[in-house]
Amino acid sequence: MKKTIIQSFLVILLVILVGCGEESKTIFIENDINIVPKPLEMKFNQGAFRFNEDTKLVAPKGQGEVLGVLKDKFTAAAGWNLEVVDTAPSSNFVLLSTDSSLSEEGYNLKVTDNQVIIKANGLNGFLYGLETIRQLLPVAIESKSAVNNINWDIPNVEIKDSPRFKWRGSMLDVSRHFFDKDYVLATIDQLALLKMNTLHLHLVDDQGWRIEIKKYPKLTEVGGFRVDQEDKPWNARPVAELGTATTYGGFYTQEDIKEIVAYASSRGVTVVPEIEMPAHVMSAIAAYPELSCFQKPIMAPSGGVWPITDIYCAGKDTTFEFLENVLLEVMELFPSQYIHVGGDEATKTNWKICPDCKKRVANEGLANVEELQSYFIQRMERFLSSKGRILLGWDEILEGGLAPGATVMSWRGVKGGLEASEAGHDVVMTPNSHCYFDYYQGDQDAEPLAWGGNLPLSKVYQFDPVVEGMSEEQAKHVLGGQANLWTEYVPTNDQAEYMTYPRLAALAEAVWSSKDNRNWDDFSNRVSSLFQRYGAMGVNYAKSAYQVTTETTVNPENAVISIALKSEFPNADIRYTLDGSDITLASEKYTNPIDIQKTTTIKAQVFKDEQPEGALFEKTITYHKAVGKPVNYINKYHDSYQGAKELGMVNVVRGSKNFHDGQWQGWLGDDMELVIDMESPTELEKISVGAMENQGSGIYFPIQVEVFLSDDGKTFKRAGIIKRDYAANNGSELKDFVIEIEKQTARYIKVKATNLGSPPTGGGSWMFIDEVVVE
């Protein structure tokens, strides 16, 4: 009897322990699943699969290497050496199963309590299935050292997934600043995580030649290095004297390239090389001056060059012999179907006067130097085609006629893609409006120096490679899209990561997920989980999407300013103060627009999980006497930059260094002249005019600001004037032009700002004004 009781107790205990084991698995809900890019179809089921040190990884013989990514993750994060086998046990395994009915990069994933099965048609499909498992696992799987007390559970799901586009790429400019091999390998890992399959390496530009060519060693010995002027602004670096020591740069040996290409291939990524021609090649001409029209010795420039006139001579056959020899070595290293030849921004001044080029134009029956560029590209296209490769170039290769077999990468908006696809050419869409990651992604005052423009995370997410105006037939020629990180202002690995992530995640979803399956609110929830992974991986990702921004309106009847606070993420938890005090979790939670009628300093910050995220927003709203008063524009702003229109100069909203922020009114070559009606005689002491200068974008401070006063609106008397001479400025600057006037009373205020007109560099001159402050 006693023995029976003990046996019964042991059975009950065993049942309890087994039950506890089952219950101890993580209980998931569907919102716990945060896969980026979003799968095509997903069914969530109850239950979970738990990895442990006995979990077997199963692949057909000879295909076990594909499991290396997942195996290595568990080795680092759990300290396990999961066994790779070719026959599945009864349970507790991950199985790769070939299914030839699936698309080339598609996969099906089924997770149950006892097993995980990935079906795919090839390497990339299996890799993407494994990357999905990685994103289903706890964030701790990204740890580089063993983590204790973690349940390595993933939810039971059934996923059917495949990409919308076959070209899902990212371009890294390694010429303007050299990024070492390890950073390139880390970039490939990040592409694989997001199911992207193309790394476009911009290996050649004026500022550096980055790939070893054995037949022409001076390309890297001379062209791979430049004079170190990193302490000066990019566009203010003087031309170095011949013979100055060149110490800044670097290059990849051919062995480096082989390692990069092999590593990328193991992760489903194709590396596409770009060897620029006929422009952006001063580094090559510095090494071999005979490649240019007039063989003038030059140095590889240390910074910006414009216009680009030192280009390859199109009249000499030796130029093409050189390029063919270079490309033969490049093709030996890169198995990519596509070879990118650049083709952009060639200023053909020298071609017009070069005897060899003029002879080429005559002999080939060409109409002009634009057709000479077309001849150049078509000749290189025939050479690449003869080697079984496809020439790829920026949309300038359309000028003068496109080579028959060429593919176009459309960067100057979408026009090039529309034109090329209409003519039956394949295109890769990469418009600067949505794909240039050297642009700012938040408030310029809170961001590292960038090229200009503004491309926040939410705008990247709006990208669609198939654009309005394309027919169904044209859409078939759209291979996909890619991000571009130009690195003039990106000198370090940390900054490159900051500019790239998380924007690359938004672009990845834009080119992978079906259009109907994309939703910003949904993505913004899922991407926050990716932020945690980036943090665990040590990736220096940007939190710019958490920045607080404002929308301000003015009620002209009572001059009440209404300020709405928001961030890119919907329903963000924003806390704020109006008294200058610091932001804490106890600060007022933003729910409705804030009304103010006096000068106020607003501080605001987004909170997530009760912790502050992103940069602190702080701005003083200067409430002045002219707020909401009628403004008559004698000389009106340009249609392209209207600001807040009639209230733009008296709405207290100041513009930022992003001149596309909707607060600036612009005048192109014209003066600004306006009259503010104070509606009754008002005591006046000071008038300030807010302006911007960004000479790289053609925006210049006024050279003169005048203020006139009147009682009747007809007869005006000048009350003050500021004159300012033109001065070169390589940055972006905001400035208030302040005119102190003798205290007096007036009803009407006329303000006139004089445009520079034509800058020394030529062209037109924008003048941007954001507010006239009346005190």
Side-chain angles (χ1 to χ4, degrees), residues 687-691 701-702 705 722 724 735-739:
I687 312 293
S688 304
V689 177
F701 282 142
V705 176
I722 292 178
R724 178 187 179 278
K735 180 180 177 66
D736 282 347
F737 289 83
V738 181
I739 296 180

Side-chain angles (χ1 to χ4, degrees), residues 317-331:
D317 284 336
T318 51
T319 300
F320 296 97
E321 179 185 348
F322 164 81
L323 288 170
E324 289 175 6
N325 287 334
V326 167
L327 291 175
L328 284 172
E329 292 195 34
V330 168
M331 286 186 284

Side-chain angles (χ1 to χ4, degrees), residues 83-195:
E83 186 179 2
V84 178
V85 299
D86 54 28
T87 302
S90 59
S91 64
N92 193 19
F93 61 86
V94 177
L95 170 69
L96 304 186
S97 174
T98 301
D99 185 341
S100 58
S101 69
L102 296 176
S103 63
E104 184 180 354
E105 293 188 293
Y107 69 94
N108 290 348
L109 170 65
K110 185 173 183 179
V111 181
T112 66
D113 288 355
N114 300 313
Q115 61 188 30
V116 178
I117 298 176
I118 301 172
K119 292 184 178 181
N121 191 18
L123 172 70
N124 280 35
F126 287 129
L127 286 168
Y128 300 151
L130 290 166
E131 292 292 355
T132 293
I133 291 173
R134 176 181 171 186
Q135 290 196 39
L136 291 172
L137 281 161
V139 169
I141 196 66
E142 310 299 344
S143 175
K144 296 178 175 63
S145 58
V147 182
N148 297 318
N149 302 318
I150 291 288
N151 292 326
W152 301 103
D153 297 347
I154 61 174
N156 288 350
V157 292
E158 296 177 51
I159 291 174
K160 295 181 180 180
D161 204 5
S162 60
R164 181 183 175 200
F165 295 100
K166 67 178 183 179
W167 187 294
R168 305 181 305 281
S170 182
M171 187 280 290
L172 177 61
D173 170 13
V174 297
S175 176
R176 272 50 178 268
H177 286 95
F178 177 66
F179 294 85
D180 62 24
K181 179 182 65 178
D182 288 342
Y183 182 78
V184 176
L185 298 179
T187 298
I188 291 166
D189 285 337
Q190 293 301 328
L191 292 176
L193 172 65
L194 296 169
K195 302 182 177 72

